[in-house]
Every structure is written in C-alpha cells, then in structure tokens.
Amino acid sequence: MRICLITPEPGHPLLAGAAELLRGAGHRVESLDPGANGDAGGAGEVPVARGSAPAPADVYLLKARTPRALRLARELERRGAPVVNSAAATALCQDRTAMAELALRAGLPFAGTRTHGSLAAWAASSEARQELDAGPVVVKSRLSRRHDLVARVDGPARLRELAAAWPQEPVVVQDFAPNSGWDHKLWAIGDRVFAALRRSELAPEGRGPAQPLDPAGLPAGWERLVRRVGEVFALDVYGVDIIDTGGGSPLIVDINAFPGIRGQAAAPRALADLALARAGHFP
C-alpha cells in the first residue's frame, strides 16, 4: 500500500513511528509538505493540481491545518482519495465558534462559548464588565492555531493588557469553570483511546509535561464521551481536552484534529493500523 503524510513535519514522533512500522511491513510511505512551494493561503493551484505531488496514494494522513493544506485535501477528496481526517472536519476544529455550536447541539458537555469580532471592541463594552463582575473568564482566539491566545481573565486590568496586545483578534469567551488545575488530555486514533494529565496552561504554575494515564482509570463514561466526539465531528484522529468540574463531571473545553499524541507508546501502531484500514487493507 502507498500512504502519504500531508505535513511539514514528517519527523514528528507519532508520524515517524507509524511510518517505520508501515515500511517494516512492506508498505510505501511518502510525505508531502503542503507549504513547500510557499503560499500560506493565497491564490494558486495546490501541489497535486500541478503534478508536483507523489503518485496517487491509497490513503492520505492530514496533519496540517494551513489553508493550502486544506485546499490540497479537498482536491484529493474530490478525486476520490481517502483523507484522514477530512478537510471539512479539520477546518471545523479550527473554528472555536463552530466547534462549540456543533458540540452543544449534539448534547456534548461543552463549555458555553460567546463570540466577539475583536478583543479590543469587546473589552471596551459594558458586556465585558458585566461578565467579569460575574467571575473569571477564559479568552481564546476564535481561530485555533499555533501560538494562539488562551488566557484567564480575572479583572479589568488583565483584560486591558490582553486587548492592547491582541486588539483585532476575533475571540471566544468562556466562563472559567473551577477545577483541579489539571487538564485531561484524551486522544483517539480510530477505536483506540489514549489519556494523559497535564497541568492547565491557565494554572499559576504554568503548563508542564503530560503524564500518561491509563484510560481504565478515567471516570465512568469518559471513554464513551471521547468516541461520541469522534462521531459528532467525523474525526478519526483527534484530541479532546476535558476538565473535571467535580465528582467526575466532564466539561469539554477544546477539540483538536490530528494532535501530536506524544508519550503514548502504542499510538504509532494504532495510527499505522488506522491508515491501512482506511486504505482498504486490514492488517
């Protein structure tokens, strides 16, 4: 089988580990950097349309979220190629407003989310003052991306500071839910669920390394909840960030398409098996 990785980082441990297993089983693994020819989102044909992509693969693994990568994935899908995850599912997980709307419509325990066109405009509004009077909030970039804005705001001074640094940033605002200060990082690759604990980036101590967690030790129903997220969002490889608001009651605060899933020894094998299954070859 021929497997193609759509990514600027084929050496990422998850991808490299899966590729090694696939090659060891006699399959061909290639990579395609969707940004290799420039263009972070402007006009122009995607690489596959110019013939610069590898020969058609049996399955494509989409670990990139740039506009160019999504255009490439859409073109591959149009030609009938299986792409994991699909371009539509990947794009949906970038828009935190659309993500929250779909999750809440589906009955998932997702954090209530309000959207504002710019951080500066919201910060100057009476609505912002009323919300802060009710308690801390979490402000996030509406577009999920590397080095985006995610911050806890406890009062007007902190809000003014963020608004000065990110004035035109479209944002979502969520009420801060009291919790232990630890995020449950749950990941799924096909039917496999992986878990870890990581100090929340909102905690005073700052984010630290993830601590692997046996999924069997999760509160009742959490694994089922993770799989339900995959069904609702049509995802095969994804992450679900959950906080325990008390007594094992879950609150989903973010969903990510094709996260890195580091520190999970069985993840590369799960990804290799998924790639073969989606290519129509069952190991």
Side-chain angles (χ1 to χ4, degrees), residues 1-6 27-32 48 53-62 72 76-77 79-84 275 278-280:
M1 305 296 287
R2 185 189 295 265
I3 297 95
C4 183
L5 313 176
I6 303 176
H27 302 286
R28 184 168 180 176
V29 182
E30 299 163 331
S31 63
L32 173 60
V48 69
D58 295 291
V59 66
Y60 293 83
L61 304 184
L62 176 62
L72 170 57
L76 290 166
E77 291 167 350
R79 298 182 179 201
V83 179
V84 177
R278 291 295 179 267

PDB file of all heavy atoms in Angstrom, residues 1-6 27-32 48 53-62 72 76-77 79-84 275 278-280:
ATOM      1  N   MET A   1       0.842  -1.191   0.000  1.00  0.00           N
ATOM      2  CA  MET A   1       0.000   0.000   0.000  1.00  0.00           C
ATOM      3  C   MET A   1       0.879   1.242   0.000  1.00  0.00           C
ATOM      4  O   MET A   1       2.008   1.225   0.489  1.00  0.00           O
ATOM      5  CB  MET A   1      -0.908   0.026   1.239  1.00  0.00           C
ATOM      6  CG  MET A   1      -1.773  -1.209   1.413  1.00  0.00           C
ATOM      7  SD  MET A   1      -2.968  -1.465   0.106  1.00  0.00           S
ATOM      8  CE  MET A   1      -4.152  -0.195   0.478  1.00  0.00           C
ATOM      9  N   ARG A   2       0.343   2.311  -0.559  1.00  0.00           N
ATOM     10  CA  ARG A   2       1.052   3.583  -0.576  1.00  0.00           C
ATOM     11  C   ARG A   2       0.325   4.558   0.358  1.00  0.00           C
ATOM     12  O   ARG A   2      -0.864   4.813   0.198  1.00  0.00           O
ATOM     13  CB  ARG A   2       1.091   4.148  -1.992  1.00  0.00           C
ATOM     14  CG  ARG A   2       1.927   5.422  -2.147  1.00  0.00           C
ATOM     15  CD  ARG A   2       1.719   6.028  -3.531  1.00  0.00           C
ATOM     16  NE  ARG A   2       2.211   5.155  -4.576  1.00  0.00           N
ATOM     17  CZ  ARG A   2       3.419   5.228  -5.123  1.00  0.00           C
ATOM     18  NH1 ARG A   2       4.267   6.157  -4.706  1.00  0.00           N
ATOM     19  NH2 ARG A   2       3.790   4.409  -6.090  1.00  0.00           N
ATOM     20  N   ILE A   3       1.056   5.079   1.338  1.00  0.00           N
ATOM     21  CA  ILE A   3       0.500   6.009   2.323  1.00  0.00           C
ATOM     22  C   ILE A   3       1.243   7.328   2.197  1.00  0.00           C
ATOM     23  O   ILE A   3       2.486   7.352   2.126  1.00  0.00           O
ATOM     24  CB  ILE A   3       0.634   5.454   3.763  1.00  0.00           C
ATOM     25  CG1 ILE A   3      -0.171   4.169   3.925  1.00  0.00           C
ATOM     26  CG2 ILE A   3       0.163   6.485   4.779  1.00  0.00           C
ATOM     27  CD1 ILE A   3       0.628   2.905   3.714  1.00  0.00           C
ATOM     28  N   CYS A   4       0.511   8.439   2.155  1.00  0.00           N
ATOM     29  CA  CYS A   4       1.128   9.753   2.042  1.00  0.00           C
ATOM     30  C   CYS A   4       0.784  10.594   3.270  1.00  0.00           C
ATOM     31  O   CYS A   4      -0.380  10.701   3.647  1.00  0.00           O
ATOM     32  CB  CYS A   4       0.654  10.472   0.780  1.00  0.00           C
ATOM     33  SG  CYS A   4       1.451  12.082   0.517  1.00  0.00           S
ATOM     34  N   LEU A   5       1.808  11.184   3.879  1.00  0.00           N
ATOM     35  CA  LEU A   5       1.645  12.075   5.017  1.00  0.00           C
ATOM     36  C   LEU A   5       1.618  13.512   4.516  1.00  0.00           C
ATOM     37  O   LEU A   5       2.596  13.978   3.910  1.00  0.00           O
ATOM     38  CB  LEU A   5       2.798  11.903   6.005  1.00  0.00           C
ATOM     39  CG  LEU A   5       3.183  10.471   6.383  1.00  0.00           C
ATOM     40  CD1 LEU A   5       4.406  10.480   7.290  1.00  0.00           C
ATOM     41  CD2 LEU A   5       2.011   9.751   7.041  1.00  0.00           C
ATOM     42  N   ILE A   6       0.531  14.215   4.731  1.00  0.00           N
ATOM     43  CA  ILE A   6       0.452  15.632   4.374  1.00  0.00           C
ATOM     44  C   ILE A   6       0.840  16.420   5.611  1.00  0.00           C
ATOM     45  O   ILE A   6       0.042  16.601   6.535  1.00  0.00           O
ATOM     46  CB  ILE A   6      -0.953  16.019   3.895  1.00  0.00           C
ATOM     47  CG1 ILE A   6      -1.375  15.157   2.710  1.00  0.00           C
ATOM     48  CG2 ILE A   6      -1.006  17.499   3.523  1.00  0.00           C
ATOM     49  CD1 ILE A   6      -2.802  15.416   2.237  1.00  0.00           C
ATOM     50  N   HIS A  27       5.057  -1.611   3.219  1.00  0.00           N
ATOM     51  CA  HIS A  27       4.259  -0.562   2.588  1.00  0.00           C
ATOM     52  C   HIS A  27       5.135   0.638   2.260  1.00  0.00           C
ATOM     53  O   HIS A  27       6.196   0.849   2.865  1.00  0.00           O
ATOM     54  CB  HIS A  27       3.112  -0.143   3.508  1.00  0.00           C
ATOM     55  CG  HIS A  27       2.213  -1.288   3.878  1.00  0.00           C
ATOM     56  ND1 HIS A  27       1.315  -1.851   2.998  1.00  0.00           N
ATOM     57  CD2 HIS A  27       2.089  -1.995   5.045  1.00  0.00           C
ATOM     58  CE1 HIS A  27       0.675  -2.845   3.596  1.00  0.00           C
ATOM     59  NE2 HIS A  27       1.126  -2.949   4.836  1.00  0.00           N
ATOM     60  N   ARG A  28       4.690   1.431   1.322  1.00  0.00           N
ATOM     61  CA  ARG A  28       5.439   2.618   0.904  1.00  0.00           C
ATOM     62  C   ARG A  28       4.838   3.849   1.587  1.00  0.00           C
ATOM     63  O   ARG A  28       3.627   4.071   1.518  1.00  0.00           O
ATOM     64  CB  ARG A  28       5.388   2.783  -0.609  1.00  0.00           C
ATOM     65  CG  ARG A  28       6.221   3.950  -1.115  1.00  0.00           C
ATOM     66  CD  ARG A  28       6.379   3.898  -2.618  1.00  0.00           C
ATOM     67  NE  ARG A  28       7.173   5.004  -3.105  1.00  0.00           N
ATOM     68  CZ  ARG A  28       7.531   5.168  -4.383  1.00  0.00           C
ATOM     69  NH1 ARG A  28       7.134   4.264  -5.297  1.00  0.00           N
ATOM     70  NH2 ARG A  28       8.251   6.187  -4.765  1.00  0.00           N
ATOM     71  N   VAL A  29       5.699   4.626   2.235  1.00  0.00           N
ATOM     72  CA  VAL A  29       5.252   5.837   2.931  1.00  0.00           C
ATOM     73  C   VAL A  29       6.007   7.032   2.361  1.00  0.00           C
ATOM     74  O   VAL A  29       7.243   7.036   2.298  1.00  0.00           O
ATOM     75  CB  VAL A  29       5.499   5.743   4.450  1.00  0.00           C
ATOM     76  CG1 VAL A  29       4.977   7.007   5.146  1.00  0.00           C
ATOM     77  CG2 VAL A  29       4.822   4.507   5.030  1.00  0.00           C
ATOM     78  N   GLU A  30       5.253   8.038   1.924  1.00  0.00           N
ATOM     79  CA  GLU A  30       5.833   9.268   1.398  1.00  0.00           C
ATOM     80  C   GLU A  30       5.258  10.442   2.173  1.00  0.00           C
ATOM     81  O   GLU A  30       4.247  10.306   2.866  1.00  0.00           O
ATOM     82  CB  GLU A  30       5.503   9.412  -0.101  1.00  0.00           C
ATOM     83  CG  GLU A  30       6.066   8.280  -0.939  1.00  0.00           C
ATOM     84  CD  GLU A  30       5.411   8.199  -2.318  1.00  0.00           C
ATOM     85  OE1 GLU A  30       4.229   8.605  -2.424  1.00  0.00           O
ATOM     86  OE2 GLU A  30       6.069   7.731  -3.259  1.00  0.00           O
ATOM     87  N   SER A  31       5.897  11.580   2.068  1.00  0.00           N
ATOM     88  CA  SER A  31       5.370  12.776   2.726  1.00  0.00           C
ATOM     89  C   SER A  31       5.269  13.909   1.729  1.00  0.00           C
ATOM     90  O   SER A  31       6.021  13.974   0.754  1.00  0.00           O
ATOM     91  CB  SER A  31       6.251  13.195   3.914  1.00  0.00           C
ATOM     92  OG  SER A  31       7.549  13.541   3.474  1.00  0.00           O
ATOM     93  N   LEU A  32       4.340  14.779   1.984  1.00  0.00           N
ATOM     94  CA  LEU A  32       4.098  15.945   1.132  1.00  0.00           C
ATOM     95  C   LEU A  32       3.925  17.158   2.020  1.00  0.00           C
ATOM     96  O   LEU A  32       3.014  17.193   2.854  1.00  0.00           O
ATOM     97  CB  LEU A  32       2.849  15.728   0.279  1.00  0.00           C
ATOM     98  CG  LEU A  32       2.353  16.908  -0.552  1.00  0.00           C
ATOM     99  CD1 LEU A  32       3.424  17.357  -1.542  1.00  0.00           C
ATOM    100  CD2 LEU A  32       1.078  16.540  -1.295  1.00  0.00           C
ATOM    101  N   VAL A  48      -1.007  19.097  -5.812  1.00  0.00           N
ATOM    102  CA  VAL A  48      -1.481  17.940  -6.556  1.00  0.00           C
ATOM    103  C   VAL A  48      -1.997  18.341  -7.928  1.00  0.00           C
ATOM    104  O   VAL A  48      -1.892  17.593  -8.888  1.00  0.00           O
ATOM    105  CB  VAL A  48      -2.574  17.189  -5.763  1.00  0.00           C
ATOM    106  CG1 VAL A  48      -3.850  18.000  -5.659  1.00  0.00           C
ATOM    107  CG2 VAL A  48      -2.860  15.831  -6.382  1.00  0.00           C
ATOM    108  N   ALA A  53       2.859  16.538  -6.652  1.00  0.00           N
ATOM    109  CA  ALA A  53       2.651  15.607  -5.559  1.00  0.00           C
ATOM    110  C   ALA A  53       3.147  14.225  -5.963  1.00  0.00           C
ATOM    111  O   ALA A  53       3.332  13.926  -7.135  1.00  0.00           O
ATOM    112  CB  ALA A  53       1.165  15.540  -5.221  1.00  0.00           C
ATOM    113  N   PRO A  54       3.391  13.322  -4.996  1.00  0.00           N
ATOM    114  CA  PRO A  54       3.748  11.948  -5.332  1.00  0.00           C
ATOM    115  C   PRO A  54       2.630  11.274  -6.116  1.00  0.00           C
ATOM    116  O   PRO A  54       1.525  11.795  -6.235  1.00  0.00           O
ATOM    117  CB  PRO A  54       3.924  11.299  -3.957  1.00  0.00           C
ATOM    118  CG  PRO A  54       4.117  12.421  -2.994  1.00  0.00           C
ATOM    119  CD  PRO A  54       3.348  13.579  -3.560  1.00  0.00           C
ATOM    120  N   ALA A  55       2.922  10.098  -6.653  1.00  0.00           N
ATOM    121  CA  ALA A  55       1.883   9.334  -7.343  1.00  0.00           C
ATOM    122  C   ALA A  55       0.729   9.101  -6.386  1.00  0.00           C
ATOM    123  O   ALA A  55       0.915   9.093  -5.175  1.00  0.00           O
ATOM    124  CB  ALA A  55       2.470   8.011  -7.825  1.00  0.00           C
ATOM    125  N   PRO A  56      -0.481   8.924  -6.898  1.00  0.00           N
ATOM    126  CA  PRO A  56      -1.642   8.789  -6.025  1.00  0.00           C
ATOM    127  C   PRO A  56      -1.438   7.728  -4.948  1.00  0.00           C
ATOM    128  O   PRO A  56      -0.966   6.626  -5.216  1.00  0.00           O
ATOM    129  CB  PRO A  56      -2.756   8.398  -6.998  1.00  0.00           C
ATOM    130  CG  PRO A  56      -2.328   8.975  -8.303  1.00  0.00           C
ATOM    131  CD  PRO A  56      -0.834   8.864  -8.319  1.00  0.00           C
ATOM    132  N   ALA A  57      -1.813   8.082  -3.736  1.00  0.00           N
ATOM    133  CA  ALA A  57      -1.671   7.173  -2.597  1.00  0.00           C
ATOM    134  C   ALA A  57      -2.996   6.473  -2.327  1.00  0.00           C
ATOM    135  O   ALA A  57      -4.057   6.904  -2.780  1.00  0.00           O
ATOM    136  CB  ALA A  57      -1.213   7.947  -1.369  1.00  0.00           C
ATOM    137  N   ASP A  58      -2.915   5.392  -1.564  1.00  0.00           N
ATOM    138  CA  ASP A  58      -4.127   4.671  -1.176  1.00  0.00           C
ATOM    139  C   ASP A  58      -4.839   5.377  -0.026  1.00  0.00           C
ATOM    140  O   ASP A  58      -6.047   5.207   0.158  1.00  0.00           O
ATOM    141  CB  ASP A  58      -3.763   3.248  -0.763  1.00  0.00           C
ATOM    142  CG  ASP A  58      -3.210   2.455  -1.932  1.00  0.00           C
ATOM    143  OD1 ASP A  58      -3.990   2.145  -2.849  1.00  0.00           O
ATOM    144  OD2 ASP A  58      -1.996   2.175  -1.937  1.00  0.00           O
ATOM    145  N   VAL A  59      -4.098   6.164   0.765  1.00  0.00           N
ATOM    146  CA  VAL A  59      -4.681   6.948   1.836  1.00  0.00           C
ATOM    147  C   VAL A  59      -3.743   8.102   2.155  1.00  0.00           C
ATOM    148  O   VAL A  59      -2.515   7.973   2.014  1.00  0.00           O
ATOM    149  CB  VAL A  59      -4.939   6.090   3.101  1.00  0.00           C
ATOM    150  CG1 VAL A  59      -3.638   5.595   3.717  1.00  0.00           C
ATOM    151  CG2 VAL A  59      -5.775   6.843   4.122  1.00  0.00           C
ATOM    152  N   TYR A  60      -4.318   9.222   2.563  1.00  0.00           N
ATOM    153  CA  TYR A  60      -3.547  10.412   2.939  1.00  0.00           C
ATOM    154  C   TYR A  60      -3.861  10.738   4.407  1.00  0.00           C
ATOM    155  O   TYR A  60      -5.018  10.743   4.812  1.00  0.00           O
ATOM    156  CB  TYR A  60      -3.928  11.606   2.056  1.00  0.00           C
ATOM    157  CG  TYR A  60      -3.532  11.440   0.614  1.00  0.00           C
ATOM    158  CD1 TYR A  60      -4.338  10.718  -0.267  1.00  0.00           C
ATOM    159  CD2 TYR A  60      -2.358  11.996   0.122  1.00  0.00           C
ATOM    160  CE1 TYR A  60      -3.982  10.552  -1.594  1.00  0.00           C
ATOM    161  CE2 TYR A  60      -1.994  11.846  -1.215  1.00  0.00           C
ATOM    162  CZ  TYR A  60      -2.804  11.117  -2.060  1.00  0.00           C
ATOM    163  OH  TYR A  60      -2.442  10.950  -3.375  1.00  0.00           O
ATOM    164  N   LEU A  61      -2.809  11.002   5.170  1.00  0.00           N
ATOM    165  CA  LEU A  61      -2.968  11.416   6.557  1.00  0.00           C
ATOM    166  C   LEU A  61      -2.709  12.913   6.639  1.00  0.00           C
ATOM    167  O   LEU A  61      -1.594  13.371   6.352  1.00  0.00           O
ATOM    168  CB  LEU A  61      -1.996  10.654   7.466  1.00  0.00           C
ATOM    169  CG  LEU A  61      -2.072   9.122   7.411  1.00  0.00           C
ATOM    170  CD1 LEU A  61      -1.123   8.507   8.442  1.00  0.00           C
ATOM    171  CD2 LEU A  61      -3.494   8.615   7.624  1.00  0.00           C
ATOM    172  N   LEU A  62      -3.718  13.668   7.015  1.00  0.00           N
ATOM    173  CA  LEU A  62      -3.658  15.125   7.001  1.00  0.00           C
ATOM    174  C   LEU A  62      -3.283  15.658   8.381  1.00  0.00           C
ATOM    175  O   LEU A  62      -4.142  15.853   9.233  1.00  0.00           O
ATOM    176  CB  LEU A  62      -5.010  15.701   6.543  1.00  0.00           C
ATOM    177  CG  LEU A  62      -5.153  17.228   6.563  1.00  0.00           C
ATOM    178  CD1 LEU A  62      -4.149  17.897   5.621  1.00  0.00           C
ATOM    179  CD2 LEU A  62      -6.584  17.627   6.190  1.00  0.00           C
ATOM    180  N   LEU A  72      -5.487  21.323  -0.616  1.00  0.00           N
ATOM    181  CA  LEU A  72      -4.945  20.084  -1.158  1.00  0.00           C
ATOM    182  C   LEU A  72      -5.813  18.897  -0.761  1.00  0.00           C
ATOM    183  O   LEU A  72      -6.157  18.048  -1.585  1.00  0.00           O
ATOM    184  CB  LEU A  72      -3.508  19.894  -0.648  1.00  0.00           C
ATOM    185  CG  LEU A  72      -2.842  18.543  -0.923  1.00  0.00           C
ATOM    186  CD1 LEU A  72      -2.823  18.248  -2.413  1.00  0.00           C
ATOM    187  CD2 LEU A  72      -1.439  18.511  -0.345  1.00  0.00           C
ATOM    188  N   LEU A  76      -7.892  16.292  -3.204  1.00  0.00           N
ATOM    189  CA  LEU A  76      -7.707  14.842  -3.145  1.00  0.00           C
ATOM    190  C   LEU A  76      -9.039  14.141  -2.906  1.00  0.00           C
ATOM    191  O   LEU A  76      -9.336  13.114  -3.532  1.00  0.00           O
ATOM    192  CB  LEU A  76      -6.712  14.496  -2.037  1.00  0.00           C
ATOM    193  CG  LEU A  76      -5.258  14.897  -2.302  1.00  0.00           C
ATOM    194  CD1 LEU A  76      -4.441  14.824  -1.020  1.00  0.00           C
ATOM    195  CD2 LEU A  76      -4.639  14.005  -3.380  1.00  0.00           C
ATOM    196  N   GLU A  77      -9.846  14.682  -2.006  1.00  0.00           N
ATOM    197  CA  GLU A  77     -11.159  14.100  -1.733  1.00  0.00           C
ATOM    198  C   GLU A  77     -12.050  14.161  -2.971  1.00  0.00           C
ATOM    199  O   GLU A  77     -12.791  13.221  -3.269  1.00  0.00           O
ATOM    200  CB  GLU A  77     -11.822  14.820  -0.563  1.00  0.00           C
ATOM    201  CG  GLU A  77     -11.137  14.549   0.777  1.00  0.00           C
ATOM    202  CD  GLU A  77     -11.583  15.494   1.875  1.00  0.00           C
ATOM    203  OE1 GLU A  77     -12.280  16.494   1.569  1.00  0.00           O
ATOM    204  OE2 GLU A  77     -11.220  15.247   3.032  1.00  0.00           O
ATOM    205  N   ARG A  79     -11.123  13.921  -5.909  1.00  0.00           N
ATOM    206  CA  ARG A  79     -10.667  12.882  -6.820  1.00  0.00           C
ATOM    207  C   ARG A  79     -10.925  11.476  -6.284  1.00  0.00           C
ATOM    208  O   ARG A  79     -10.548  10.490  -6.912  1.00  0.00           O
ATOM    209  CB  ARG A  79      -9.177  13.064  -7.096  1.00  0.00           C
ATOM    210  CG  ARG A  79      -8.863  14.383  -7.779  1.00  0.00           C
ATOM    211  CD  ARG A  79      -7.385  14.522  -8.077  1.00  0.00           C
ATOM    212  NE  ARG A  79      -7.097  15.783  -8.760  1.00  0.00           N
ATOM    213  CZ  ARG A  79      -5.999  16.010  -9.485  1.00  0.00           C
ATOM    214  NH1 ARG A  79      -5.105  15.051  -9.606  1.00  0.00           N
ATOM    215  NH2 ARG A  79      -5.810  17.170 -10.056  1.00  0.00           N
ATOM    216  N   GLY A  80     -11.555  11.392  -5.116  1.00  0.00           N
ATOM    217  CA  GLY A  80     -11.928  10.088  -4.582  1.00  0.00           C
ATOM    218  C   GLY A  80     -10.943   9.470  -3.613  1.00  0.00           C
ATOM    219  O   GLY A  80     -11.127   8.322  -3.196  1.00  0.00           O
ATOM    220  N   ALA A  81      -9.908  10.198  -3.217  1.00  0.00           N
ATOM    221  CA  ALA A  81      -8.911   9.642  -2.309  1.00  0.00           C
ATOM    222  C   ALA A  81      -9.387   9.735  -0.859  1.00  0.00           C
ATOM    223  O   ALA A  81      -9.973  10.745  -0.464  1.00  0.00           O
ATOM    224  CB  ALA A  81      -7.582  10.389  -2.466  1.00  0.00           C
ATOM    225  N   PRO A  82      -9.142   8.717  -0.046  1.00  0.00           N
ATOM    226  CA  PRO A  82      -9.462   8.811   1.386  1.00  0.00           C
ATOM    227  C   PRO A  82      -8.448   9.693   2.100  1.00  0.00           C
ATOM    228  O   PRO A  82      -7.238   9.522   1.922  1.00  0.00           O
ATOM    229  CB  PRO A  82      -9.393   7.367   1.870  1.00  0.00           C
ATOM    230  CG  PRO A  82      -8.529   6.651   0.892  1.00  0.00           C
ATOM    231  CD  PRO A  82      -8.662   7.370  -0.419  1.00  0.00           C
ATOM    232  N   VAL A  83      -8.935  10.663   2.877  1.00  0.00           N
ATOM    233  CA  VAL A  83      -8.085  11.581   3.637  1.00  0.00           C
ATOM    234  C   VAL A  83      -8.478  11.492   5.112  1.00  0.00           C
ATOM    235  O   VAL A  83      -9.652  11.585   5.454  1.00  0.00           O
ATOM    236  CB  VAL A  83      -8.230  13.029   3.133  1.00  0.00           C
ATOM    237  CG1 VAL A  83      -7.345  13.970   3.948  1.00  0.00           C
ATOM    238  CG2 VAL A  83      -7.865  13.121   1.658  1.00  0.00           C
ATOM    239  N   VAL A  84      -7.505  11.314   5.980  1.00  0.00           N
ATOM    240  CA  VAL A  84      -7.698  11.197   7.430  1.00  0.00           C
ATOM    241  C   VAL A  84      -6.915  12.304   8.122  1.00  0.00           C
ATOM    242  O   VAL A  84      -5.706  12.382   7.983  1.00  0.00           O
ATOM    243  CB  VAL A  84      -7.179   9.835   7.936  1.00  0.00           C
ATOM    244  CG1 VAL A  84      -7.300   9.732   9.441  1.00  0.00           C
ATOM    245  CG2 VAL A  84      -7.893   8.675   7.241  1.00  0.00           C
ATOM    246  N   ALA A 275      -4.366   3.740   9.240  1.00  0.00           N
ATOM    247  CA  ALA A 275      -4.043   4.091   7.864  1.00  0.00           C
ATOM    248  C   ALA A 275      -4.336   2.927   6.925  1.00  0.00           C
ATOM    249  O   ALA A 275      -4.933   3.108   5.841  1.00  0.00           O
ATOM    250  CB  ALA A 275      -2.578   4.516   7.762  1.00  0.00           C
ATOM    251  N   ARG A 278      -8.153   2.436   6.564  1.00  0.00           N
ATOM    252  CA  ARG A 278      -8.795   3.435   5.710  1.00  0.00           C
ATOM    253  C   ARG A 278      -8.390   3.275   4.252  1.00  0.00           C
ATOM    254  O   ARG A 278      -9.092   3.706   3.343  1.00  0.00           O
ATOM    255  CB  ARG A 278      -8.431   4.850   6.198  1.00  0.00           C
ATOM    256  CG  ARG A 278      -9.055   5.191   7.546  1.00  0.00           C
ATOM    257  CD  ARG A 278     -10.574   5.256   7.466  1.00  0.00           C
ATOM    258  NE  ARG A 278     -11.174   5.555   8.756  1.00  0.00           N
ATOM    259  CZ  ARG A 278     -11.587   4.639   9.615  1.00  0.00           C
ATOM    260  NH1 ARG A 278     -11.487   3.347   9.324  1.00  0.00           N
ATOM    261  NH2 ARG A 278     -12.105   4.992  10.778  1.00  0.00           N
ATOM    262  N   ALA A 279      -7.235   2.636   4.034  1.00  0.00           N
ATOM    263  CA  ALA A 279      -6.800   2.367   2.661  1.00  0.00           C
ATOM    264  C   ALA A 279      -7.441   1.108   2.112  1.00  0.00           C
ATOM    265  O   ALA A 279      -7.227   0.748   0.945  1.00  0.00           O
ATOM    266  CB  ALA A 279      -5.283   2.248   2.622  1.00  0.00           C
ATOM    267  N   GLY A 280      -8.205   0.409   2.948  1.00  0.00           N
ATOM    268  CA  GLY A 280      -8.859  -0.811   2.499  1.00  0.00           C
ATOM    269  C   GLY A 280      -8.020  -2.051   2.688  1.00  0.00           C
ATOM    270  O   GLY A 280      -8.358  -3.124   2.192  1.00  0.00           O
TER     271      GLY A 280
END
